[in-house]
Amino acid sequence: MADYYEILGVSRDATEAEIKKSYRALARKYHPDAGATDSERFKEIGLAYSVLSDPEQRSRYDMFGESGIGAQPGGFGGFERGAFADIFDVFFGGPSREEYRRPRRGRDLAYELKITLKQAAEGITEEIEVPLEAPCPDCGGTGIERGLSADICPECGGKGTKMSSRTTVFGSFSSTTTCPRCQGSGEINTHPCPTCHGRGMRREVEKVEVKVPAGVDDGDRMRLAGKGEAGTRDGKRGDLYVIVSIKPDAVFTRKRTDLYEMVSIDMVQAALGMGIMVPTLDGEANLEIPSGTQPGAVLRLRHKGMPKLHSRVKGDLYVQVEVNVPTDLSGEEKKLLQEFARLRGEKASNGGVIGRILHKA
Ligand SMILES: [Zn+2]
Ligand SMILES: [Zn+2]
């Protein structure tokens, strides 16, 4: 695949507006309704725009090229980030006769894979069950009873198309539309296959192994080339997009590769300082609470966060400290605290003006 900037004909420092403008002009030029037959080019433009119009995907593309967004073909390991951008699908009308007669690629499928934060940190291999349409084994996907053939469509005389014009956001286009009787094939199936009743396809569930790399984030998607639905007329299978959904974690909050958690310590621990055990993604770890730690202080455990995708680098774990002030002091404890306050020259109870004002408030 060529460079996305080249595809859209913009410079590498083009603004979002320039990218959008160029995309619109190209989409209009290569729009199938405008008579363009190069639908691959149109899809390429759509893909380039879906990446460059998204600031995060664009910066990944700038840094890592296609491997950053994983648009390269090649089965497992293809990796993409960000929301689906079905930009080109929006513009496609019915297939033209040429398109119909050409092999048609099968539809892409999307599958949401729910995993835990720990699984996201470690990476997992999952076998998923994907419901899809597969070619009927009896008629080989033609929908016609074995040994028989179709008749010429009387509505279009076998052409498969009719002329019409339509108006879109890009202007008015005169175009050929698909024959409603034969759906563009130019043929009528008078001998439907008894197994699939002429559909040529049947519902199946396919088991697919998905390798989720360590470090995936919520909304990341992986492309499994050729694992989508079957094509027609010997067209290639579509792709399967596995979209990662990470379940909310009871302990950790994630921001990219860093993790955040709250721990609560006692007043005396905060004042004196001590080592405590805190939860991390791989078991408990010792966290040194320095003496004089204030409520709300944030301490860091280096490299205890999430791994960076396709890298050995790990983020950090930030621990926010909450300090418990006791609410159920016994008489003896009160005395000790008052003694403590006296030693420090602090007002302990019913003392100064400030104390009284605070009590009233
Ligand atoms: Zn027809
Ligand atoms: Zn069949």
Side-chain angles (χ1 to χ4, degrees):
M1 285 265 289
D3 183 271
Y4 289 163
Y5 291 97
E6 257 169 47
I7 290 170
L8 293 184
V10 293
S11 66
R12 295 193 84 81
D13 53 6
T15 63
E16 277 180 44
E18 285 167 347
I19 289 170
K20 190 169 187 176
K21 191 178 162 200
S22 179
Y23 163 71
R24 290 213 153 201
L26 287 168
R28 184 172 175 162
K29 185 174 167 190
Y30 288 95
H31 194 292
D33 277 356
T37 52
D38 191 354
S39 69
E40 281 310 306
R41 177 101 172 97
F42 187 65
K43 285 190 177 184
E44 212 174 61
I45 292 161
L47 176 65
Y49 179 68
S50 73
V51 171
L52 298 188
S53 60
D54 177 324
E56 193 184 329
Q57 287 217 59
R58 184 180 175 185
S59 74
R60 284 173 71 87
Y61 178 73
D62 288 345
M63 269 188 283
F64 309 113
E66 280 180 5
S67 61
I69 48 133
Q72 79 280 14
F76 294 83
F79 199 79
E80 299 189 15
R81 185 173 289 258
F84 258 105
D86 282 342
I87 271 158
F88 34 86
D89 289 344
V90 175
F91 302 125
F92 274 121
S96 69
R97 186 183 61 175
E98 285 72 21
E99 275 197 13
Y100 193 94
R101 301 245 158 120
R102 256 189 271 144
R104 282 176 70 80
R105 188 176 168 277
R107 285 190 305 165
D108 291 341
L109 298 173
Y111 184 99
E112 188 188 37
L113 179 63
K114 284 201 164 102
I115 60 171
T116 63
L117 187 65
K118 193 170 164 61
Q119 288 171 328
E122 292 168 354
I124 50 157
T125 301
E126 277 271 287
E127 190 179 72
I128 61 172
E129 293 191 335
V130 184
L132 46 72
E133 296 266 296
C136 166
D138 279 357
C139 59
T142 62
I144 304 164
E145 195 172 346
R146 206 193 299 221
L148 299 173
S149 56
D151 295 333
I152 289 170
C153 171
E155 176 106 17
C156 60
K159 285 210 301 287
T161 49
K162 294 185 143 191
M163 285 294 288
S164 76
S165 67
R166 58 182 269 194
T167 308
T168 76
V169 285
F170 297 119
S172 184
F173 300 103
S174 162
S175 64
T176 52
T177 55
T178 310
C179 166
R181 178 86 186 267
C182 62
Q183 272 91 47
S185 67
E187 297 171 338
I188 294 288
N189 182 3
T190 40
H191 310 283
C193 161
T195 308
C196 62
H197 308 290
R199 283 177 65 238
M201 298 289 211
R202 66 169 191 181
R203 220 75 201 133
E204 274 181 17
V205 173
E206 189 169 85
K207 288 183 176 168
V208 180
E209 194 182 76
V210 184
K211 288 195 175 84
V212 181
V216 285
D217 210 338
D218 197 50
D220 282 353
R221 60 190 171 127
M222 286 168 293
R223 191 174 74 138
L224 277 63
K227 292 288 177 186
E229 280 191 350
T232 51
R233 302 196 173 230
D234 295 325
K236 282 201 293 187
R237 280 183 68 171
D239 299 334
L240 171 66
Y241 288 89
V242 175
I243 303 160
V244 174
S245 163
I246 299 176
K247 297 173 196 162
D249 191 87
V251 177
F252 304 104
T253 309
R254 175 187 188 174
K255 275 181 198 155
R256 292 175 189 269
T257 59
D258 291 330
L259 291 175
Y260 295 79
E261 70 175 324
M262 288 272 270
V263 296
S264 130
I265 59 173
D266 292 325
M267 194 174 74
V268 177
Q269 288 179 322
L272 299 179
M274 68 181 299
I276 61 165
M277 298 306 279
V278 295
T280 74
L281 271 182
D282 40 29
E284 295 203 314
N286 183 60
L287 174 69
E288 278 306 317
I289 306 278
S291 61
T293 292
Q294 301 297 309
V298 176
L299 305 170
R300 181 168 69 159
L301 280 170
R302 291 184 77 94
H303 312 309
K304 288 289 182 188
M306 297 292 285
K308 200 174 156 194
L309 203 59
H310 305 315
S311 144
R312 288 176 185 278
V313 180
K314 273 187 168 188
D316 300 329
L317 171 60
Y318 291 91
V319 183
Q320 184 164 33
V321 178
E322 201 181 60
V323 178
N324 294 324
V325 176
T327 53
D328 53 352
L329 292 175
S330 68
E332 191 181 358
E333 287 165 344
K334 267 186 201 160
K335 258 190 218 151
L336 278 169
L337 283 178
Q338 279 159 357
E339 175 64 8
F340 170 80
R342 193 187 60 75
L343 284 170
R344 292 183 58 89
E346 293 171 2
K347 298 275 189 263
S349 64
N350 303 328
V353 176
I354 293 170
R356 274 201 295 277
I357 289 170
L358 286 178
H359 278 273
K360 272 181 188 166

